[in-house]
């Protein structure tokens, strides 16, 4: 699994002309495992959506991501009451290769069943997604990621609302993907988890406050700064005062 | 219950169709619509757009009325007028809410109220009360050859469209942001889907009338939720329910001397009520029994 590096050059992303994250430059190396941290509204999800190609950056350039990215969105955006079976939901992960029309082969069905088993949902193939708990549903989305088999994985708050056991299982999957040489970028809030399991960290608070090995970014000063920002953060105030 | 003592019971069901060609035509046309409209209604329901079909049907009215004034009760003209007006309302509401930042359902409501009032005004200005009733509520006599061709053609086109668009529609409903991430062009499929909805409503109004055309689309779809757990099974169930409603509704219309539109929609409504009570998925009886066992 060999991914190209993802290079950000002076990237500003945002909605309707309002920048949410300013002037970020740097590179996600192939096979790197990076945590993106920062207070709510710091532009973490926006940057992820930019890398995924869901919205073009307002300025600057994101290179190397096109066509090799799989995104795990925040679960809130899905219709969990939709009448679809777990197997079919996972099979939708084949869209990049199967598209709208190609028939699903028996081998692909078997792979989907394996993916369900790998996330601890064996026996759930025929279940309707509406009957899953929040944790099981997140496992399902991880199974879809498995089937997508993309060299670059973007995970937006993958552990939110998960119990400890589910979070541990999903973390093990992330380490497995890391071991396979995939590039992984995950938005996270749990600093202890970042320190323990993520070798690299990108600290965002509209501007990039630090990007590098986790122990150099998560210095005691930066941790304090992050906590103070989270307390004093105002989500509404966002105007670019620096010239692009 | 046979109308005359001693007659075999099937006569009550088959006699009207054997006797009258116009009823046979209405039956064939209605069955064609029953094949195509309910699966579309199913996706409208799953997208929480159950009321959109209603808005569309009302939005068609001024187009139909204008075509009627210009060309009389000729199906091709009425259909074209309805298609244009319906699409204008849908696309107009989308554009208005994008431009003015308002909610799309509010723009839709405003547009369809104006369209309905304008349509009824146009019709009563130029037409007779009988014709107004026909356009609003339908008439079996309205199913002439062009109308039948339109209904059959619409059903064929809808099934071809659904065969092609099934996967994108499911993906776009279930997980729109994933659809965007993998470049599934959900918006484009959705637009095509809305065009098919309008086409079905236009085809239906000749027999059912503009106000009742929605009934065959939405009621079987809503009822089907109680008969299947997955979207595919729901689609088949909705088609079967709609076909039953068309058959029973036409007989009711003939026997009770009701306009076809309300008769078919009432029958579909009865099937919905039945499904709600005895349907195996989330039916009231099943829930009650389950509640007893747990309690």
């Amino acid at each position: 699994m060999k991914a190209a590096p993802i290079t950000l050059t002076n990237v500003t992303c945002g909605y309707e002309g309002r920048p949410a994250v300013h002037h970020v430059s740097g590179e996600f190396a192939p096979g790197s495992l990076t945590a993106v941290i920062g207070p709510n509204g710091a532009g973490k999800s926006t940057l992820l959506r930019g890398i995924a190609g869901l919205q073009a950056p307002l300025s600057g350039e994101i290179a190397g991501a096109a066509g090799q990215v799989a995104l795990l969105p925040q679960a809130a955006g899905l219709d969990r009451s939709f009448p679809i079976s777990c197997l079919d939901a996972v099979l939708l992960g084949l869209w990049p290769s199967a598209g709208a029309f190609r028939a699903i082969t028996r081998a692909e069905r078997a792979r989907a069943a394996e993916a369900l088993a790998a996330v601890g949902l064996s026996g759930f193939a025929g279940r309707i997604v509406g009957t899953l708990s929040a944790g099981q549903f997140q496992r399902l989305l991880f199974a879809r990621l498995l089937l997508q088999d993309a060299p670059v994985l973007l995970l937006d708050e993958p552990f939110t609302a998960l119990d400890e056991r589910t979070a541990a299982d999903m973390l093990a999957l992330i380490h497995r993907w890391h071991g396979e040489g995939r590039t992984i970028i995950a938005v996270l809030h749990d600093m202890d988890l970042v320190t323990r399991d993520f070798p690299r960290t990108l600290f965002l608070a509209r501007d990039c406050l630090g990007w590098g090995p986790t122990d150099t970014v998560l210095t005691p000063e930066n941790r304090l700064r992050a906590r103070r920002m989270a307390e004093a953060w105002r989500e509404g105030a966002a105007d670019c005062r620096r010239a692009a | 219950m046979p109308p005359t003592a001693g007659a075999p019971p099937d006569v009550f069901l088959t006699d009207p169709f054997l006797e009258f060609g116009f009823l046979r035509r209405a039956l064939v046309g209605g069955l064609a619509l029953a094949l195509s409209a309910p699966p579309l209604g199913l996706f409208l329901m799953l997208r929480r757009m159950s009321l959109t079909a209603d808005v569309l049907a009302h939005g068609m009215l001024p187009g139909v009325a204008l075509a009627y004034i210009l060309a009389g009760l000729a199906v091709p003209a009425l259909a074209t007028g309805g298609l244009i007006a319906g699409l204008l309302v849908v696309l107009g509401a989308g554009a208005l809410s994008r431009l003015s930042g308002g909610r799309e359902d509010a723009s839709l409501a405003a547009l369809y109220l104006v369209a309905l009032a304008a349509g009824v005004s146009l019709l009563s200005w130029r037409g007779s009360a009988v014709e107004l009733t026909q356009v609003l509520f339908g008439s079996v006599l309205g199913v002439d050859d062009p109308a039948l061709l339109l209904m059959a053609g619409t059903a064929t086109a809808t099934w071809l469209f659904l065969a092609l668009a099934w996967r994108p529609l499911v993906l776009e409903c279930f997980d729109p942001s994933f659809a965007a991430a993998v470049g599934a062009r959900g918006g484009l499929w959705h637009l095509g889907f809305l065009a098919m909805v309008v086409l079905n409503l236009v085809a239906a109004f000749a027999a059912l009338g503009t106000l009742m055309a929605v009934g065959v689309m939405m009621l079987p779809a809503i009822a089907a939720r109680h008969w299947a757990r997955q979207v595919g099974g729901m689609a088949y169930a909705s088609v079967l329910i709609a076909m039953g409603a068309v058959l029973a509704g036409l007989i009711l219309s003939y026997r009770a001397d009701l306009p076809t539109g309300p008769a078919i929609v009432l029958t579909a409504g009865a099937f919905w009520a039945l499904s709600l009570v005895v349907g195996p998925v989330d039916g009231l009886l099943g829930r009650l029994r389950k509640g007893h066992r747990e309690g």
Side-chain angles (χ1 to χ4, degrees):
Chain A
M1 192 59 57
K2 190 73 186 150
I6 295 173
T7 318
L8 311 187
T9 316
N10 198 21
V11 169
T12 299
C13 285
Y15 292 95
E16 292 169 8
R18 294 184 75 87
V21 52
H22 298 228
H23 311 294
V24 181
S25 292
E27 181 185 285
F28 296 99
S32 60
L33 175 55
T34 311
V36 182
I37 60 163
N40 288 330
K44 306 184 295 294
S45 297
T46 313
L47 184 66
L48 234 54
R49 287 174 59 82
I51 297 172
L54 285 177
Q55 57 186 91
L58 298 175
S59 68
E61 200 187 345
I62 301 173
Q68 52 172 349
V69 171
L71 171 70
L72 179 79
Q74 292 185 28
L78 282 91
D79 180 6
R80 281 180 55 187
S81 67
F82 192 84
I84 187 172
S85 71
C86 289
L87 188 74
D88 283 346
V90 171
L91 280 168
L92 286 175
L94 291 174
W95 186 285
S97 68
F101 308 126
R102 185 170 70 69
I104 303 298
T105 65
R106 192 168 302 180
E108 283 168 337
R109 279 179 186 282
R111 263 182 64 209
E114 277 168 32
L116 277 172
V119 298
L121 291 179
S122 33
F124 279 67
R127 281 271 291 270
I128 301 300
V129 296
T131 63
L132 300 183
S133 70
Q136 287 167 336
F137 193 76
Q138 190 73 344
R139 286 172 187 265
L140 184 77
L141 293 183
F142 268 84
R144 190 173 70 183
L145 275 182
L146 269 172
L147 215 63
Q148 270 183 277
D149 197 25
V152 179
L153 299 166
L154 310 175
L155 315 174
D156 199 351
E157 305 198 12
F159 304 124
T160 303
L162 296 189
D163 60 39
E164 273 174 37
R165 163 116 192 269
T166 309
D169 285 356
M170 298 306 103
L171 188 62
L173 262 182
I174 290 175
H175 281 304
R176 177 181 139 191
W177 283 327
H178 182 48
E180 291 167 354
R182 297 175 210 262
T183 311
I184 300 169
I185 307 167
V187 171
L188 295 169
H189 285 293
D190 181 346
M191 294 299 159
D192 296 329
L193 177 79
V194 173
T195 318
R196 200 175 59 229
D197 287 288
F198 285 76
R200 297 179 67 80
T201 296
L202 165 58
F203 183 8
L204 277 185
R206 298 228 170 90
D207 294 298
C208 172
L209 300 186
W211 190 353
T214 297
D215 48 3
T216 64
V217 174
L218 276 187
T219 54
E221 304 90 81
N222 263 347
R223 277 168 177 265
L224 195 66
R225 212 165 142 199
R227 195 172 316 133
R228 244 190 255 130
M229 288 178 96
E231 282 159 5
W233 193 253
R234 288 179 304 141
E235 293 195 21
D239 276 310
C240 186
R241 266 172 251 109
R242 225 162 85 188
Chain B
M1 32 158 200
T4 50
D10 64 331
V11 166
F12 178 76
L13 295 177
T14 53
D15 248 14
F17 299 111
L18 291 176
E19 209 168 316
F20 298 110
F22 69 87
L23 268 182
R24 281 200 297 277
R25 291 229 285 252
L27 180 67
V28 171
L31 290 179
L33 281 176
L35 275 170
S36 66
L40 297 175
L42 183 64
F43 277 102
L44 283 172
M45 177 186 84
L46 291 172
R47 299 190 72 124
R48 298 171 213 285
M49 290 172 66
S50 292
L51 294 175
T52 301
D54 211 31
V55 169
L56 280 176
H58 294 167
M60 279 161 39
L61 197 58
V64 173
L66 215 57
Y68 171 71
I69 287 171
L70 295 177
L73 260 178
V75 167
L78 297 183
T80 312
L83 193 65
I84 292 171
L87 285 178
L88 273 180
V89 167
V90 182
L91 301 179
L96 272 183
S97 65
R98 267 196 306 282
L99 287 175
S100 69
R103 297 172 57 107
E104 187 162 2
D105 59 338
S107 316
L108 271 176
L111 277 178
Y112 101 77
L113 285 168
V114 173
L116 183 61
V120 172
S121 303
L122 276 171
L123 277 176
S124 47
W125 176 45
R126 271 303 175 81
S128 68
V130 176
E131 286 155 345
L132 179 65
T133 312
Q134 260 192 25
V135 172
L136 288 180
F137 301 110
S139 148
V140 271
L141 295 169
V143 187
D144 54 5
D145 280 348
L148 199 56
L149 276 175
L150 179 66
M151 289 159 129
T154 297
T156 311
T158 304
W159 273 61
L160 280 176
F161 174 80
L162 282 175
L164 291 175
W166 188 266
R167 201 181 289 167
L169 286 178
V170 165
L171 180 62
E172 175 69 13
C173 283
F174 172 54
D175 192 350
S177 59
F178 180 74
V182 294
R185 294 206 189 84
L188 217 60
W189 287 109
H190 183 55
L191 215 60
F193 168 73
L194 283 179
M196 290 325 269
V197 170
V198 172
L199 188 62
N200 271 269
L201 291 173
V202 167
F205 91 84
L208 297 178
T210 49
L211 288 188
M212 294 293 142
V214 190
V216 172
M217 185 174 282
M218 295 315 300
L219 276 168
I222 297 168
R225 191 176 81 79
H226 295 288
W227 295 102
R229 288 179 196 281
Q230 292 192 37
V231 57
M234 287 181 189
Y236 289 118
S238 69
V239 166
L240 286 178
I241 292 170
M243 293 179 101
V246 164
L247 180 63
L250 279 175
I251 293 167
L252 177 70
S253 157
Y254 173 77
R255 295 286 175 193
D257 198 19
L258 290 173
T260 33
I264 291 177
V265 174
L266 272 178
T267 322
F271 284 168
W272 165 68
L274 191 75
S275 309
L276 187 67
V277 175
V278 305
V281 183
D282 290 341
L284 293 178
L285 270 184
R287 285 204 159 177
L288 216 62
R289 229 178 289 143
K290 211 162 120 202
H292 271 303
R293 243 182 289 138
E294 280 162 8

